[in-house]
Amino acid sequence: MGKKKMVAAAHFSKERVFRVFLVWFCFWGLLSLTCAGRLSASRQNFEVHKHLRRLNKPAVKSIQSPDGDIIDCVHISKQPAFDHPFLKDHKIQMNPSSVPEWMFEENKVSEKPKERINPVTQLWHRSGVCSEGTIPVRRTKREDVLRASSVKRYGKKKHRTVPLPRSADPDLINQSGHQHAIAYVEGGKFYGAKATINVWEPKVQSPNEFSLSQLWILGGAFGQDLNSIEAGWQVSPDLYGDNNTRLFTYWTSDAYQATGCYNLLCSGFIQINSQIAMGASISPVSGFHNPQYDISITIWKEGHWWMQFGNGYVLGYWPSFLFSYLADSASIVEWGGEVVNMEEDGHHTTTQMGSGQFPGEGFTKASYFRNIQVVDSSNNLKEPKELNTFTEKSNCYDVEVNKNDDWGHYFYYGGPGRNPKCQ
């Protein structure tokens, strides 16, 4: 064989070996990536399954709600709260140690026929009830957990969402994507609050946005150690997988970082009521120039922080040891609406707050909070001395406070989001 042919053959042989090596390298690389992907998916499935087992306790009875929810009637001693290490030997307190006089009083409602307010219920009640000794728990589904950014973050707020009415830099607040229209009191010690909230079903533009109406019980600084107890109604496709209006609660003792969660999605809140389910759909809701429906929520300090829904439904309590600043009292109370504005198309969201109408539209059009009160150190309900208001962008969502004999301190609030003056 000639020298040139030998060189060419050697070159061909090396090239062939390289190609074979490259093919095998790519094959094993792809196989590794595939295996890594499968391992990652398997690990995620395991974590989701483990989390679902932790949240969905064995049910005495299960109820299929018309909206697709499954409500599990769980024995009161088996509820998620008792996964908390400090609650392993906790003796459930079935009632506050002392019963305030106002607990079973009827709300004041105007005698004018047009302002008659109707009571609301929860959708699952159409299909059954839970017996005494159990609590209704909305069953968490696999797809609920998968919508979260991670299994660990499921049931937790993504950002600090408390409005900062005293902030000197409103633009700093807007960066979080959350906007508010609220009334608030500060500058004292508060041992709870009450309000009756008009229930609507606002339109939410994007699945990762929400619209809610609630009250906040706050303690500490608006930094890393904020304590907050919250309750109201919300529309949150990301959390619930639909656009239904739902009753919710939330708590945190470290400004939404690691502690706390919505409803019963972590250990903390101890439920004692067998008739109301946290996170379940509220029905019916208010309509334009149609019957108006509202819910009354009271949170007050009696050893623990207790919550009442309507008249007579004491839902349960947040043990005081969960908190630092709220272990004694609150320093700020807020009432109002909140939305997430993701500006996904470069414009302000069309997500509605409240009814989607501005406050000036009034009764049967705008959403309201009425009979706004705070709880003093003697567990008496008092009208707030000075009710302030706050909103980041009043052209998008606004709030107007007023007072009369029937509704006491009240306000209309809300808005449509994007409009000619809000882009």
Side-chain angles (χ1 to χ4, degrees):
M1 185 182 291
K3 188 174 181 182
K4 288 184 177 180
K5 288 184 178 180
M6 290 178 64
V7 171
H11 177 74
F12 174 77
S13 178
K14 288 179 180 178
E15 185 177 354
R16 186 175 182 181
V17 169
F18 176 74
R19 285 180 179 177
V20 170
F21 171 77
L22 190 62
V23 168
W24 276 101
F25 179 80
C26 290
F27 173 76
W28 285 109
L30 287 171
L31 186 62
S32 298
L33 286 172
T34 302
C35 289
R38 288 179 178 175
L39 283 171
S40 177
S42 178
R43 189 180 300 113
Q44 183 190 47
N45 286 334
F46 174 74
E47 290 297 323
V48 170
H49 179 70
K50 187 170 72 171
H51 200 60
L52 289 174
R53 288 190 63 185
R54 186 183 301 123
L55 292 176
N56 296 326
K57 304 301 183 183
V60 174
K61 171 185 175 182
S62 295
I63 298 169
Q64 181 73 54
S65 176
D67 61 357
D69 281 356
I70 297 175
I71 304 297
D72 290 323
C73 303
V74 175
H75 193 278
I76 191 170
S77 65
K78 304 295 184 183
Q79 63 181 292
F82 298 111
D83 290 338
H84 197 290
F86 291 170
L87 290 172
K88 294 294 184 184
D89 300 315
H90 180 80
K91 184 178 179 181
I92 301 172
Q93 194 172 334
M94 295 305 295
N95 286 294
S97 53
S98 62
V99 179
E101 293 180 2
W102 45 261
M103 184 177 289
F104 300 102
E105 289 180 359
E106 291 295 321
N107 292 326
K108 286 184 178 180
V109 182
S110 173
E111 292 302 315
K112 299 176 184 177
K114 72 169 186 175
E115 295 186 1
R116 285 286 187 182
I117 311 299
N118 302 286
V120 300
T121 184
Q122 291 191 301
L123 207 52
W124 68 275
H125 290 161
R126 298 179 188 176
S127 303
V129 296
C130 288
S131 60
E132 288 296 323
T134 68
I135 65 163
V137 181
R138 179 183 181 269
R139 185 182 299 179
T140 300
K141 301 173 183 176
R142 185 174 184 273
E143 52 266 34
D144 293 334
V145 181
L146 291 176
R147 283 192 301 272
S149 59
S150 68
V151 174
K152 187 177 180 181
R153 293 300 303 173
Y154 172 64
K156 296 180 181 293
K157 290 190 175 182
K158 297 177 182 178
H159 309 283
R160 182 179 66 191
T161 64
V162 175
L164 309 173
R166 296 172 296 173
S167 172
D169 185 6
D171 290 334
L172 183 65
I173 308 168
N174 294 340
Q175 290 175 9
S176 71
H178 291 253
Q179 292 184 322
H180 310 83
I182 66 162
Y184 68 98
V185 291
E186 62 180 343
K189 286 190 173 185
F190 305 102
Y191 296 84
K194 180 178 182 178
T196 299
I197 313 170
N198 199 202
V199 181
W200 293 82
E201 192 174 83
K203 299 295 183 289
V204 175
Q205 177 182 320
S206 169
N208 58 352
E209 296 180 335
F210 65 64
S211 180
L212 60 77
S213 297
Q214 67 169 67
L215 57 85
W216 290 261
I217 308 291
L218 302 170
F222 287 91
Q224 304 301 308
D225 57 0
L226 181 73
N227 289 199
S228 181
I229 294 174
E230 306 166 26
W233 61 258
Q234 67 180 161
V235 174
S236 178
D238 185 59
L239 184 60
Y240 303 106
D242 60 28
N243 290 81
N244 292 351
T245 302
R246 296 170 177 272
L247 174 70
F248 83 96
T249 61
Y250 199 93
W251 71 273
T252 180
S253 60
D254 62 356
Y256 308 97
Q257 296 178 89
T259 63
C261 61
Y262 280 108
N263 307 324
L264 303 180
L265 297 178
C266 67
S267 54
F269 184 82
I270 298 174
Q271 183 159 339
I272 61 172
N273 186 279
S274 64
Q275 300 176 62
I276 303 297
M278 301 291 194
S281 299
I282 297 172
S283 178
V285 297
S286 303
F288 295 113
H289 296 300
N290 281 317
Q292 300 297 291
Y293 297 88
D294 58 28
I295 58 174
S296 180
I297 291 176
T298 311
I299 296 174
W300 78 102
K301 184 75 161 55
E302 177 59 53
H304 305 301
W305 284 96
W306 291 83
M307 177 180 171
Q308 177 171 306
F309 177 80
N311 293 299
Y313 291 116
V314 179
L315 298 192
Y317 56 94
W318 291 270
S320 57
F321 75 80
L322 294 173
F323 307 99
S324 52
Y325 292 98
L326 287 179
D328 174 55
S329 61
S331 55
I332 301 176
V333 176
E334 299 175 346
W335 302 262
E338 175 184 353
V339 301
V340 175
N341 172 31
M342 299 301 294
E343 296 187 340
E344 291 186 340
D345 55 0
H347 298 282
H348 195 284
T349 183
T350 58
T351 290
Q352 301 172 333
M353 180 188 292
S355 67
Q357 300 294 308
F358 283 113
E361 295 297 319
F363 192 72
T364 75
K365 285 187 176 182
S367 192
Y368 61 77
F369 278 66
R370 64 179 176 88
N371 298 107
I372 294 168
Q373 295 171 296
V374 294
V375 181
D376 67 14
S377 59
S378 301
N379 259 344
N380 295 316
L381 284 169
K382 302 286 187 182
E383 292 191 342
K385 291 182 179 179
E386 186 177 354
L387 201 57
N388 305 292
T389 62
F390 171 79
T391 181
E392 291 94 347
K393 292 185 176 180
S394 59
N395 288 335
C396 306
Y397 313 104
D398 206 1
V399 54
E400 294 180 4
V401 174
N402 214 321
K403 182 181 180 182
N404 64 28
D405 292 337
D406 294 319
W407 283 12
H409 282 83
Y410 71 93
F411 62 85
Y412 287 101
Y413 72 102
R418 187 193 309 171
N419 66 77
K421 294 183 179 180
C422 173
Q423 296 292 323

